[in-house]
Amino acid sequence: MASRRDPWLDNAKALLITAVVAGHVLAVLPGDHALRDHLYDAVYVVHMPAFILVSGYLSQRFRWSRRHLTSLVTTLVVPYVVFTLVLHGMYLAHVGENTEEPILLDPFWALWFLAALTLWRLASPVLRSSVIMVPLSVAVSLLSPTFDSTPELALTRALQFLPYFVIGLHARAEWLEQLKRPAARVLGVLALVAIWVVTADLDSWASTTWLFSNHSYDALGADTSTGILTRSFLLVCSLAGSLAVLSLTPTARGWWTGVGVQSMTVYLGHTVVVQALEYDGALDALPPGQATRAGLVVSLLVVAALAAPPVVRPLRWLTDPVGATKDLRAALRQGPRSAARPVEAPRPDREPARA
């Protein structure tokens, strides 16, 4: 039996998936704008680490069972393959030339998260076996950039982002409850203000490329000691920012909760939308002084549209084709009355963690 969903976690995912979409829209805005660049850096310090931490928490119940492994394939691997083919087709249509790397082994753009999440979930029974895995994951994150980056299956990112997932795996519900206290909210505001301040001139001590966590120290132009110190500081900032976002997340159910329920649908769908906007140059006409604000408005519209039930239902044939096929077959077996009922959209964030 599926456990009851926590609106607080869905609300957090709604905030974070909106930040993901906003970050990607900001990246394709034309021109060079100080506000856009600053906002982009501040968002990237927090949004994926927080998303990964929540994903780790929701993966605590994953087991190497047939049901959980099947769910992993249908909700992560199959959509990864489908959207890789879709995005690769768009790339070919726009660029007109093929890539040299095997497309399924080299995650296309934002699809790295699905590849990394699959690896993390597969390893989660080992990663949660002992609390010693938390400091070990930090060591892996700090030392893995001493080797050349590995694009295959987003392995480099999976290793460098690993601590957030492992911390989520070991987080207890009673610990997270402390984030809802008023004092935690005050500290959360201060943490986000501090992140805004330290990212005001990120290039003076790092660069935006550091935030992607997919390069070696050598490629970033840093020696090992400097690289470890810089990554350590970023890890602390990202963890503090992640907890800050959770502390400021509303706990009550609202209209925005549905966006969190459909966070994976929005994540997958926005890759096609943002790539189409970039390829078509749809945002190039935005006035320089208004580009950032307009980009944020576009981001909100994209999130709202992709999370809307009339869009979610047909899009499910791409985001969860196996589940959509099973529901259609069940509806046909049960007759017109069952088929007339709306099909519930997929909740891959719950499976198999909340199975």
Side-chain angles (χ1 to χ4, degrees):
M1 178 182 295
S3 61
R4 185 179 179 184
R5 296 186 70 96
D6 185 348
W8 178 58
L9 291 175
D10 282 329
N11 293 339
K13 286 185 289 181
L15 288 173
L16 294 171
I17 194 60
T18 301
V20 169
V21 176
H24 289 156
V25 171
L26 290 174
V28 301
L29 290 177
D32 183 17
H33 312 291
L35 176 60
R36 186 273 305 273
D37 294 342
H38 187 185
L39 184 60
Y40 183 87
D41 289 340
V43 166
Y44 266 70
V45 168
V46 177
H47 74 326
M48 287 314 300
F51 218 125
I52 294 166
L53 190 151
V54 172
S55 298
Y57 181 72
L58 293 173
S59 300
Q60 290 181 356
R61 296 184 183 181
F62 182 86
R63 299 293 185 272
W64 291 326
S65 66
R66 179 177 179 180
R67 182 165 64 93
H68 285 180
L69 291 172
T70 299
S71 179
L72 186 73
V73 171
T74 59
T75 61
L76 291 179
V77 178
V78 172
Y80 171 80
V81 172
V82 170
F83 276 84
T84 294
L85 296 177
V86 170
L87 293 174
H88 184 65
M90 293 176 63
Y91 176 84
L92 288 178
H94 177 73
V95 178
E97 62 181 24
N98 210 337
T99 56
E100 296 181 358
E101 300 82 5
I103 61 174
L104 293 179
L105 295 181
D106 186 8
F108 191 96
W109 186 42
L111 296 183
W112 72 265
F113 177 66
L114 271 70
L117 183 56
T118 300
L119 297 176
W120 291 326
R121 281 234 172 118
L122 284 172
S124 60
V126 174
L127 295 174
R128 69 166 178 269
S129 62
S130 171
V131 71
I132 195 66
M133 292 298 175
V134 175
L136 282 179
S137 69
V138 173
V140 168
S141 178
L142 297 179
L143 295 177
S144 60
T146 59
F147 303 96
D148 292 337
S149 60
T150 304
E152 287 79 9
L153 296 178
L155 183 59
T156 295
R157 275 175 159 157
L159 294 176
Q160 293 191 28
F161 278 117
L162 182 62
Y164 311 109
F165 187 82
V166 177
I167 289 171
L169 275 179
H170 288 270
R172 298 179 181 177
E174 56 268 28
W175 297 350
L176 297 183
E177 283 296 318
Q178 299 301 311
L179 295 175
K180 302 175 184 179
R181 299 169 64 89
R185 296 191 180 99
V186 173
L187 293 175
V189 171
L190 294 177
L192 293 181
V193 170
I195 290 173
W196 181 257
V197 172
V198 300
T199 55
D201 190 18
L202 183 65
D203 288 339
S204 66
W205 56 276
S207 68
T208 301
T209 309
W210 282 81
L211 307 180
F212 302 149
S213 296
N214 64 343
H215 293 87
S216 65
Y217 292 141
D218 184 62
L220 293 167
D223 56 46
T224 300
S225 58
T226 301
I228 290 176
L229 287 174
T230 304
R231 277 207 56 78
S232 297
F233 182 68
L234 284 172
L235 194 153
V236 171
C237 290
S238 295
L239 182 58
S242 300
L243 298 178
V245 169
L246 291 175
S247 71
L248 298 172
T249 297
T251 58
R253 190 179 304 276
W255 63 265
W256 53 84
T257 308
V259 175
V261 172
Q262 301 303 333
S263 59
M264 187 61 75
T265 300
V266 176
Y267 193 92
L268 291 167
H270 96 280
T271 61
V272 175
V273 175
V274 174
Q275 286 293 284
L277 291 174
E278 182 179 17
Y279 290 155
D280 294 340
L283 302 177
D284 292 349
L286 293 176
Q290 303 176 15
T292 299
R293 290 189 293 271
L296 294 177
V297 172
V298 169
S299 304
L300 293 175
L301 293 176
V302 169
V303 170
L306 290 173
V311 176
V312 169
R313 282 191 284 270
L315 192 59
R316 190 182 182 196
W317 288 100
L318 293 177
T319 61
D320 185 19
V322 176
T325 301
K326 288 182 178 179
D327 285 344
L328 178 61
R329 293 172 60 185
L332 292 175
R333 284 197 302 266
Q334 296 177 24
R337 182 178 179 182
S338 175
R341 294 201 306 265
V343 177
E344 183 183 10
R347 297 177 179 179
D349 53 276
R350 182 180 64 185
E351 293 290 349
R354 292 294 183 234

